[in-house]
Amino acid sequence: MVVNIESNINGKREKWEISTPLINTVLELIRATYEDDEVVEIINPTDCNNLSRVSEFFEYILKYPKDVKIPKVIVKDNKDIKESNVQNNPLGSDIVCFSGGIDSTAALLYQMEQNKNSIALWCDYGQTYKEPERKAVREICEKLSIPLYEATVDLSELIVLGTERFKHVFPARNLLIAAIAVSLNPQEVILAGLSDELIVPDKSPRMYSEGSTYLKHKVYSPFMKMTKAEVLSVWKKKWNNILTVDETVSCYSNAGDCQDCSSCAKREVAKIASKYSSEFPKVFTNQAELISNHWFSRIDKFDNPRRDEILISLNELFYKITPDLQEKVKFYLDKYYDEVKEWQKHLDSLSTVIDEEQNE
Ligand SMILES: [Zn+2]
């Protein structure tokens, strides 16, 4: 499998192929996982001499959803292999792993606010929703005058193979994009994971700490302590004159904003809870069953912010949601009244990014 990069800097386009031991290793791990191999052997692509630790890390990244079967990862020593990891010249910029969605776009806006140079890296790996993403990433980068690198690697056949097992999860996707990013030798890699995504292995604290060591570049998220609604509360106050959220895209269909998938549902919850928007989103009706069965059945187990934001947003539009949802909202709002009120106050007052790094 080949990874192609096309850069577009001030309208100047350049194209080249990239290959590093790390990228090839991650691709091999993805292939073996999708093809359901029992065992996959790789040559250690990192500087870490503790091979079982490296193997554990990769198995951890691949194993999501938690009960999914993955191959055993055997890591072999790389000491006989000549160093083929020729480092590019330092890029002098950070790379923001960019999908055109709310979180990674907010990361670009935050980088601009901090006066940090960034290059956006988007990856077309054959995802079914790549066309709306491609359109959004190009338009956003042009509007923000941020250089865009587009990586292409065709994994569409594997994705088809794994639809049943992985649904919308693409194992090690973020690790692959981060591996492509470090091959360009940036200062830092920004991978915009949220506080409610820390269970996703390649957006987890372990990815940011251990992953940074293996990738020899700092991989970090400015939003590790924030939910999507918190990010939007800040966006509304700080960045909306630069770019609106409607210019971003995060949807599992190839139509862009289908208003009928779980990604659209999450996005609308955040928009309403943060008061970014007050318009009734069709997805609250279209996905009423998902919300009622899938979300409310586990709502006691959700982290407080996630629970609170679901309740805040549905309550905000109470008279427009289905009777079944109304009943549930009433019940749980009663149960979690104080907690929800407090979170709502917090969202209303939040006006800056809660970035540990800036507060150090
Ligand atoms: Zn959708």
Side-chain angles (χ1 to χ4, degrees):
M1 274 173 288
V2 186
V3 179
N4 285 296
I5 297 261
E6 186 171 354
S7 68
N8 185 353
I9 300 170
N10 303 324
K12 222 194 249 167
R13 288 179 174 274
E14 248 182 276
K15 234 178 177 171
W16 68 98
E17 244 177 50
I18 50 164
S19 169
T20 64
L22 180 67
I23 293 173
N24 293 333
T25 301
V26 178
L27 285 171
E28 172 62 6
L29 291 170
I30 290 171
R31 185 209 56 74
T33 303
Y34 270 110
E35 290 184 352
D36 209 7
D37 290 0
E38 289 296 323
V39 176
V40 57
E41 267 186 27
I42 54 166
I43 294 164
N44 186 10
T46 77
D47 286 346
C48 176
N49 294 321
N50 187 337
L51 300 184
S52 61
R53 253 192 87 184
V54 176
S55 146
E56 255 175 52
F57 176 75
F58 285 131
E59 287 181 358
Y60 163 75
I61 293 286
L62 292 171
K63 201 162 174 52
Y64 185 77
K66 256 192 252 153
D67 48 2
V68 82
K69 185 183 154 272
I70 56 151
K72 183 171 175 42
V73 178
I74 295 175
V75 182
K76 300 207 142 175
D77 211 334
N78 59 2
K79 63 171 180 256
D80 300 329
I81 308 290
K82 260 200 218 138
E83 183 63 61
S84 51
N85 228 341
V86 183
Q87 281 282 27
N88 280 311
N89 292 327
L91 203 53
S93 298
D94 294 337
I95 286 188
V96 174
C97 301
F98 191 41
S99 70
I102 288 176
D103 319 336
S104 57
T105 306
L108 286 176
L109 291 163
Y110 183 54
Q111 287 276 106
M112 287 170 69
E113 186 185 298
Q114 307 278 309
N115 291 317
K116 287 185 179 166
N117 284 335
S118 353
I119 286 173
L121 171 69
W122 174 66
C123 189
D124 165 1
Y125 52 89
Q127 64 271 47
T128 48
Y129 38 87
K130 67 181 180 185
E131 290 314 326
E133 274 195 18
R134 188 194 314 276
K135 188 168 175 285
V137 298
R138 286 183 178 173
E139 287 174 2
I140 292 167
C141 284
E142 203 181 317
K143 196 156 182 184
L144 300 180
S145 301
I146 288 174
L148 172 64
Y149 283 27
E150 295 180 26
T152 312
V153 53
D154 188 7
L155 306 174
S156 53
E157 279 173 27
L158 292 176
I159 291 175
V160 171
L161 265 185
T163 311
E164 267 298 295
R165 277 196 296 152
F166 297 105
K167 310 273 182 322
H168 291 299
V169 176
F170 181 90
R173 167 183 60 181
N174 296 304
L175 179 63
L176 173 65
I177 298 171
I180 295 171
V182 301
S183 77
L184 300 162
N185 204 5
Q187 287 179 326
E188 290 179 4
V189 177
I190 317 293
L191 183 63
L194 301 169
S195 63
D196 38 2
E197 286 180 323
L198 300 179
I199 47 157
V200 181
D202 57 0
K203 283 188 169 177
S204 68
R206 191 167 169 187
M207 171 71 181
Y208 293 118
S209 56
E210 214 176 323
S212 292
T213 315
Y214 296 153
L215 270 57
K216 287 187 258 176
H217 285 75
K218 186 170 160 199
V219 181
Y220 112 106
S221 169
F223 307 134
M224 233 165 89
K225 300 254 165 192
M226 297 174 79
T227 65
K228 207 185 276 296
E230 286 183 285
V231 170
L232 286 185
S233 295
V234 175
W235 188 319
K236 185 177 69 166
K237 291 168 191 138
K238 285 201 147 172
W239 306 322
N240 219 38
N241 56 337
I242 309 173
L243 196 85
T244 70
V245 163
D246 298 334
E247 293 168 77
T248 68
V249 60
S250 41
C251 172
Y252 290 141
S253 93
N254 59 9
D257 184 23
C258 76
Q259 289 291 315
D260 199 8
C261 74
S262 59
S263 185
C264 280
K266 275 190 196 162
R267 176 185 167 99
E268 296 298 340
V269 162
K271 278 169 74 178
I272 304 291
S274 63
K275 298 204 175 82
Y276 187 93
S277 158
S278 54
E279 214 175 294
F280 181 78
K282 290 194 189 87
V283 69
F284 282 5
T285 311
N286 294 340
Q287 290 286 316
E289 245 182 75
L290 166 105
I291 297 170
S292 180
N293 301 335
H294 206 61
W295 291 3
F296 272 105
S297 66
R298 295 179 297 153
I299 201 153
D300 287 319
K301 288 187 206 143
F302 283 169
D303 287 344
N304 303 17
R306 183 165 182 206
R307 168 167 62 228
D308 300 339
E309 286 164 12
I310 291 171
L311 291 170
I312 291 167
S313 62
L314 292 173
N315 189 47
E316 196 68 40
L317 301 163
F318 188 81
Y319 293 104
K320 292 184 174 172
I321 57 177
T322 62
D324 166 55
L325 284 181
Q326 283 180 341
E327 217 169 283
K328 285 182 173 151
V329 169
K330 229 191 231 160
F331 177 82
Y332 285 103
L333 210 52
D334 216 34
K335 185 169 177 183
Y336 293 109
Y337 187 81
D338 292 338
E339 177 194 307
V340 169
K341 281 291 152 223
E342 208 167 296
W343 193 251
Q344 191 158 26
K345 241 167 69 191
H346 164 73
L347 287 177
D348 289 345
S349 65
L350 188 66
S351 58
T352 46
V353 170
I354 311 166
D355 188 349
E356 278 186 322
E357 294 228 318
Q358 303 308 320
N359 302 330
E360 263 166 22

